[in-house]
Amino acid sequence: MAVQELFPGTQVTIGPVIADGFYYDFARKEPFTTEDLNKIENKMKEIVDRDEKTYREVWKRNDAIEHFKKKGEIYKAEIIENIPEGEDVSLYFHGDWHDLCRGPHLSSTGKIGKYFKLTKVSGAYWRGDSNNEMLQRIYGTSWSTQKELDDYLNRIEEAEKRDHRKIGKEMDLFHFREESPGSVFWHQKGWSLFQKLISYMRMKQEIGGYQEINTPEILDRSLWEKSGHWEKFGANMYTSTTPDEKVFAIKPMNCPGCVQVFNQGLKSYRDLPLKMSEFGKVHRYEPSGALHGLLRVRAFTQDDAHIFCTEEQITEECLTVTNLILEIYKDLGFEDVILKYSDRPELRVGDDQVWDKSEAALLEAIKATKLEYSINKGEGAFYGPKIEFVLRDAIGRDWQCGTLQVDLNLPDRLGASFVDSDGNKKVPVMLHRALFGSLERFIGILIENYSGKLPFWLCPIQAIVIPISSDFDDYAKQVNSQLKKVGLSSEVDLKNHNLNYKIREHSLTKVPMLLICGKKEVDSNTVTIRRLDSKKQETMDLKKFLQKYSALNKAPSI
RNA sequence: GCCCUUGUAGUUUUAAUGUUAAAACAGGCCCUUGGUAAGGGUCAGUUACGAGUUAGAUUCUCGUCGAGGGCACCA
């Protein structure tokens, strides 16, 4: 209403309530500017002050269409045209302004209250379809008290402080650059974190009976045509044409490669379930607007695995995978996990009977976990239904990470088979699973969850040894090399700066422990521990320290 | 990909239509040898790219690329 009073000729479309506020889409030739936002906000306050009564009227559908068409509101008219013939519609009026709404509405504009703020403008497609024209959306937030509004704004600020792009820069973990948008340049510290996660997962998978393999990054186009990826995702695949004019694709997924390993040599039913894992780096040409730090990239490493098994083994294998995923999330500090089940999408490969079978099997498995789950209709992969594992972070945000998919299509398309106990060849079932999904993305989530203050066993630098003055450099170096010998990641800081300076510097990069060495420590063969965010000091015998912290240098479940 | 915003040292920012474009921090060198979140001095380093307008462009216009916020997409 405020918008139309200020900018006559602008059409309103829809304006629903969302978490923490609302938005409203408008059709107008000129874009709204930030100053417009201020003007609109002031006008809104004015309308609230006017405290106009609103009232509801029920109209005949066709009368309402006529009414909005006459006013030039073609979008509103279109919405009503989509309401079935014969149904009545409700209109809300205040002053001489009319809106279409299922209701209910507040009884007067004064009831809106003053605790709102327009936050941002953006483009949005009419009816959420990128083939339609783009409208202009104004977002706002609204609360019933000033305090709630302030709390909300603080929450946003808190999330900004945790932004992994900012912390990643401060902690010198990684960077991005124009030469390869959406691909990470990992620095030493970030790569160390990356490797720690991988070796942790290797250990978990080793225990779980997986065999780790590795397959080519570049595979002939024909393989992707066979698997169905070329048809469905060809537009988002990187390709490479060799000097002899052959077309190869840089793998966007690991599964076709993994099936090739399965296919090499005869497999017997005695080999099943066969679990093959791969830390495969995949490339996907994501739309430029989708890129977002580590959370959405064009090149990433999947902690992928494919389990080849019989139909009878599906439920048990799915359960095992689910438990492994939950255990791993717990080790990393995420206990709040939600499951989402997605069934067949419209665009898919395979017969409906096959889909019936895989959906039933996965559903049985998810029920066997006894965990709660929600259902996403039509959101499955093109080759099979899936479970997604969504974890909730320290400030209540949800992140979709792990996935588990039952696939009765690709093994057949790619010619996988095993010899069953009756001597006949059969096509195995393939389960696709990823624990974190993308290592890159998961590291982004970890950074935001912990604000960069990672669990000790994952810290790229777990301790820095600081001599009080250069007289103690030798002792400090000696302590550092002993830490390294027991497998701790440490550094020694011999720079020509005083202690205060060094403590500040390393605290800002979130090193959990600083080991101070001066005369006292040299004489008694000890170190003084200065923990991040704690002024309390603790002096400990060096041997004891090495024992204690090398024991703590691993995931809780190991 | 679409809409809006945006691009100045390694980082965070700021000033500026006309000699060497500025500050802080980080970095190099020197002094300082210090007990728990910034000791002092000094040196070096910058306008995303390409066109155009102009006597002159960091500044204005257009394009390209990137980034930010959304939309759409996400095997």
Side-chain angles (χ1 to χ4, degrees):
Chain A
M1 177 175 180
V3 170
Q4 287 189 322
E5 284 189 14
L6 280 166
F7 306 100
T10 302
Q11 297 186 56
V12 298
T13 64
I14 54 162
V17 172
I18 50 171
D20 306 327
F22 56 89
Y23 67 79
Y24 221 113
D25 287 348
F26 301 93
R28 174 172 180 249
K29 283 224 175 63
E30 300 78 36
F32 294 110
T33 63
T34 347
E35 290 101 79
D36 291 342
L37 225 54
N38 282 332
K39 275 191 228 153
I40 295 166
E41 196 172 309
N42 289 334
K43 180 61 95 174
M44 284 168 72
K45 288 187 175 137
E46 194 188 308
I47 293 170
V48 170
D49 284 340
R50 274 192 258 156
D51 195 13
E52 285 167 3
K53 292 273 170 285
T54 63
Y55 55 96
R56 176 173 188 265
E57 281 182 14
V58 177
W59 286 34
K60 289 261 176 289
R61 174 179 172 280
N62 291 342
D63 293 348
I65 294 173
E66 260 324 286
H67 176 75
F68 281 108
K69 275 196 177 154
K70 224 183 273 165
K71 291 183 57 123
E73 297 276 6
I74 56 169
Y75 291 95
K76 283 284 179 206
E78 188 181 326
I79 295 171
I80 305 170
E81 274 166 0
N82 280 303
I83 293 174
E85 197 86 39
E87 263 181 51
D88 293 338
V89 296
S90 58
L91 302 187
Y92 284 84
F93 296 80
H94 42 88
D96 48 11
W97 199 74
H98 318 179
D99 192 7
L100 163 79
C101 187
R102 215 174 289 139
H105 253 216
L106 293 171
S107 61
S108 83
T109 57
K111 291 265 162 48
I112 295 169
K114 301 215 154 159
Y115 311 109
F116 62 84
K117 190 176 163 58
L118 296 183
T119 48
K120 54 200 169 197
V121 273
S122 82
Y125 297 107
W126 169 235
R127 291 180 177 275
D129 184 334
S130 58
N131 295 317
N132 288 340
E133 60 274 45
M134 182 154 278
L135 308 171
Q136 295 187 56
R137 176 171 297 181
I138 296 180
Y139 282 89
T141 183
S142 174
W143 303 89
S144 49
T145 63
Q146 183 69 39
K147 185 175 178 307
E148 280 174 338
L149 176 60
D150 290 345
D151 285 350
Y152 169 74
L153 296 174
N154 284 340
R155 275 211 303 284
I156 292 186
E157 212 174 293
E158 173 62 24
E160 272 167 22
K161 268 191 235 153
R162 288 168 178 261
D163 193 311
H164 72 281
R165 294 167 295 187
K166 181 170 159 281
I167 293 180
K169 211 181 266 176
E170 287 165 0
M171 291 177 70
D172 190 22
L173 300 176
F174 58 84
H175 83 277
F176 290 92
R177 52 174 58 233
E178 291 193 14
E179 287 82 351
S180 188
S183 298
V184 191
F185 288 81
W186 285 105
H187 300 187
Q188 187 271 128
K189 289 180 197 165
W191 191 241
S192 151
L193 169 55
F194 197 105
Q195 291 301 328
K196 283 181 188 214
L197 283 171
I198 286 195
S199 50
Y200 161 70
M201 277 189 289
R202 280 215 167 101
M203 201 177 288
K204 297 300 278 186
Q205 291 183 341
E206 185 101 351
I207 296 167
Y210 287 83
Q211 316 176 351
E212 185 175 331
I213 60 161
N214 192 262
T215 64
E217 314 271 306
I218 298 177
L219 292 148
D220 196 277
R221 163 181 178 164
S222 61
L223 182 65
W224 302 104
E225 285 170 346
K226 245 191 257 172
S227 71
H229 288 93
W230 191 268
E231 199 194 338
K232 177 134 195 209
F233 292 107
N236 298 310
M237 280 162 70
Y238 286 94
T239 55
S240 167
T241 307
T242 52
D244 54 358
E245 304 291 313
K246 281 186 185 136
V247 177
F248 289 84
I250 303 170
K251 66 175 174 185
M253 284 191 88
N254 301 302
C255 18
C258 181
V259 175
Q260 305 314 306
V261 177
F262 181 87
N263 286 355
Q264 209 287 317
L266 269 187
K267 295 291 181 297
S268 142
Y269 72 98
R270 291 174 191 277
D271 296 320
L272 307 185
L274 181 56
K275 311 178 185 184
M276 293 199 276
S277 67
E278 174 172 14
F279 293 100
K281 187 160 188 180
V282 296
H283 290 74
R284 299 176 181 179
Y285 191 73
E286 303 286 3
S288 56
L291 303 180
H292 183 94
L294 293 176
L295 301 180
R296 189 80 182 272
V297 287
R298 285 182 174 155
F300 60 97
T301 311
Q302 287 183 319
D303 51 353
D304 212 350
H306 298 92
I307 300 171
F308 296 88
C309 64
T310 63
E311 283 175 24
E312 297 72 49
Q313 291 167 333
I314 295 178
T315 308
E316 195 194 332
E317 288 308 314
C318 286
L319 267 177
T320 314
V321 167
T322 304
N323 288 334
L324 178 65
I325 289 181
L326 295 178
E327 194 174 274
I328 284 176
Y329 288 177
K330 197 172 169 195
D331 267 349
L332 287 149
F334 301 102
E335 309 223 11
D336 211 344
V337 182
I338 307 151
L339 305 196
K340 287 202 289 193
Y341 168 81
S342 307
D343 60 11
R344 68 190 80 183
E346 262 176 56
L347 263 176
R348 59 178 182 263
V349 294
D351 295 340
D352 282 351
Q353 296 107 297
V354 174
W355 276 90
D356 289 343
K357 231 195 266 180
S358 29
E359 284 176 358
L362 189 58
L363 215 45
E364 193 187 328
I366 200 170
K367 279 178 186 148
T369 65
K370 300 207 167 61
L371 295 166
E372 277 188 40
Y373 63 95
S374 62
I375 295 180
N376 286 355
K377 274 244 156 285
E379 303 271 302
F382 72 86
Y383 45 73
K386 65 179 176 186
I387 301 178
E388 271 155 356
F389 296 82
V390 179
L391 50 83
R392 183 157 290 170
D393 77 4
I395 57 171
R397 296 172 301 180
D398 289 343
W399 304 98
Q400 187 179 304
C401 294
T403 176
L404 169 59
Q405 301 156 7
V406 176
D407 180 1
L408 299 176
N409 286 309
L410 284 190
D412 191 27
R413 288 175 80 97
L414 298 174
S417 68
F418 68 97
V419 180
D420 206 353
S421 54
D422 58 9
N424 291 323
K425 274 197 171 179
K426 275 197 184 157
V427 179
V429 177
M430 176 156 82
L431 307 180
H432 306 242
R433 64 99 272 221
L435 308 171
F436 295 153
S438 146
L439 268 296
E440 283 78 356
R441 179 177 146 88
F442 194 80
I443 288 175
I445 295 168
L446 270 182
I447 293 171
E448 301 211 353
N449 182 60
Y450 288 108
S451 296
K453 295 173 190 172
L454 297 164
F456 178 72
W457 61 284
L458 284 174
C459 286
I461 296 179
Q462 295 167 313
I464 293 185
V465 189
I466 303 175
I468 295 272
S469 82
S470 52
D471 291 343
F472 313 108
D473 281 4
D474 284 344
Y475 182 73
K477 281 194 240 175
Q478 202 188 314
V479 169
N480 182 44
S481 71
Q482 297 216 43
L483 290 176
K484 283 186 189 297
K485 264 188 210 153
V486 298
L488 293 166
S489 318
S490 65
E491 277 180 6
V492 56
D493 184 351
L494 304 178
K495 280 204 291 284
N496 183 14
H497 281 129
N498 65 27
L499 183 58
N500 279 343
Y501 180 92
K502 290 181 182 181
I503 286 180
R504 176 180 157 81
E505 187 190 9
H506 300 307
S507 297
L508 288 174
T509 59
K510 308 187 163 66
V511 176
M513 277 198 295
L514 302 177
L515 304 180
I516 315 298
C517 304
K519 185 159 189 326
K520 239 170 39 189
E521 288 77 12
V522 172
D523 290 345
S524 58
N525 211 29
T526 55
V527 288
T528 295
I529 306 167
R530 205 292 188 183
R531 289 192 175 77
L532 184 58
D533 293 331
S534 157
K535 296 231 184 273
K536 229 169 67 189
Q537 299 163 41
E538 182 188 356
T539 301
M540 196 185 275
D541 181 71
L542 180 57
K543 270 208 187 104
K544 228 187 220 163
F545 176 88
L546 293 171
Q547 236 170 28
K548 180 171 175 190
Y549 285 96
S550 59
L552 287 174
N553 192 16
K554 58 183 184 48
S557 79
I558 288 178

